[in-house]
Each structure stands twice: as C-alpha cells, then as structure tokens.
Amino acid sequence: MAEACKRADVALVTGDTKVVERGSADGLFVITSGVGVVPDGVEVGPERARPGDRILVSGPVASHGVAVMSRRAGVEFQGELSSDTQPLTGLVEVMLAAGDVRVLRDATRGGLASVLNELAESSGVSMVAEEKAVPVLPPVRAACEMLGLDPLYVANEGVCVAVVSPEDAEAVLMAARSHPAGSTPRSSARSWKVLRR
C-alpha cells in the first residue's frame, strides 16, 4: 500500500480492521476512499461537452476486467493478461495543462461504452466511436471472443476518458502520450469525433 501511495502521490491517512467468522473471508480485503481537490480554474463535467469535440481514451480497454475474470475462474489464455491498474493523476495533470479538457471520467464498471452512454445522456451530445478504433490488446480481444464478452463493456482500472475541444485535441493527445501512463505499449491514446444528437 505504501508503494501504491508513493506512485499515486497520495497520503494514506487512516485504516481499520474487521474480525469476521472463520470461512467468511478468503483473504485480505482492501477498500479505499479518495479525497481530492480540483485546482482553481479547472472545470470538467459532462455539461461542458460540445458537438465536434474529440474523445480520447488513455489506453487499451478491458484488460483489467478480463485479467480478474480469468484469475477468478482459473482460466488461462494464450498471451499475457494483466490488469491496467495504475494511478492517473499525473496523466490527467499533463492533459489539463495541454488544452481544453472539458470532461474527464474513469472507465471502470460498465466499461468504455457505458461511460460514453452516460456522458451522452448527461450532456445531450451524441458520442460516435468506431469500434475498430478502440484499442484492445490482442490477448484481451481473444479472451473476450472466447468468453462471449464485448470489450467495450468490460471494466477498466487504469484508463481515463476525456472529451476535448477539437482545437486542442492533438495537443492533449501528444501530452498524454508523453506521460508514462499514456505512452506504454498498453496505453496508446486514441481519438474519436463527438456529434450532436
């Protein structure tokens, strides 16, 4: 936990333990809550999305969900499956500094498609994405096909979704790729178009 806090540049401020009946838990459970401060002058929210904006995703989707499912089920697939869990604070900071990032979301439960649907409903702006443009690692895609899953609806833990003004999209994309969380082979930011309903 100390190493994870160091990587994310956060402080661990409290902790608690629970006693449960024998057999009620099969290991250690860690539950976290985070408190953050949005810097002055930074405004991000679905109401800021506009027709013509671009959507960026910071890396390949579905890696976390497939890795967790394969381990829980004891199923092995060809190729390496690992969670995409990583802190995104530094990545978000460089993206915000590079241009007009209007909306930010993490693509956790429900996956990328659920995030885009929620943003479209909240903002009144349709989100159009080409499925073939969404980055999915080959072993993850193969596992999803075998399990009958759509990678766009599988959970992520280290992927952020940003809606960016079209004028700043390239600059924000380049900034994302300059950061370790956006430049590794598994993290290659991509872009789509956003249109009015």
Side-chain angles (χ1 to χ4, degrees), residues 44-195:
V44 291
E47 71 284 352
R48 295 195 66 230
R50 301 286 180 267
D53 284 352
R54 300 296 184 263
I55 303 170
L56 306 180
V57 59
S58 65
V61 300
S63 298
H64 174 76
V66 169
V68 169
M69 283 186 273
S70 69
R71 281 165 185 74
R72 282 184 180 161
V75 178
E76 291 189 21
F77 298 97
Q78 277 192 328
E80 184 183 340
L81 293 177
S82 62
S83 172
D84 60 14
T85 302
Q86 64 180 333
L88 296 174
T89 310
L91 174 66
V92 167
E93 287 172 347
V94 300
M95 292 171 69
L96 289 171
D100 186 9
V101 177
R102 296 180 172 160
V103 183
L104 278 169
R105 281 287 306 274
D106 60 341
T108 54
R109 306 297 172 258
L112 177 62
S114 293
V115 168
L116 295 180
N117 283 323
E118 289 169 12
L119 289 178
E121 187 173 330
S122 299
S123 67
V125 177
S126 294
M127 311 284 166
V128 179
E130 291 182 31
E131 190 171 352
K132 64 182 179 183
V134 178
V136 181
L137 296 176
V140 173
R141 185 178 301 283
C144 284
E145 288 173 2
M146 183 176 157
L147 296 170
L149 300 171
D150 183 340
L152 298 184
Y153 286 94
V154 175
N156 307 276
E157 287 294 338
V159 174
C160 74
V161 179
V163 178
V164 182
S165 73
E167 299 80 17
D168 293 344
E170 192 63 27
V172 173
L173 182 64
M174 290 302 103
R177 288 182 173 160
S178 74
H179 190 275
S183 65
T184 62
R186 69 176 199 198
S187 300
S188 178
R190 300 293 290 265
S191 171
W192 298 281
K193 195 161 138 184
V194 185
L195 306 169

Side-chain angles (χ1 to χ4, degrees), residues 1-8 10-12 14-15 28-32:
M1 283 189 277
E3 181 59 33
C5 287
K6 185 177 176 183
R7 284 182 60 217
V10 298
L12 182 62
T14 189
L28 175 68
F29 293 83
V30 177
I31 295 143
T32 62

Side-chain angles (χ1 to χ4, degrees), residues 14-39:
T14 189
D16 190 14
T17 58
K18 298 288 184 215
V19 177
V20 297
E21 293 179 16
R22 185 181 302 275
S24 297
D26 61 356
L28 175 68
F29 293 83
V30 177
I31 295 143
T32 62
S33 296
V35 178
V37 177
V38 178

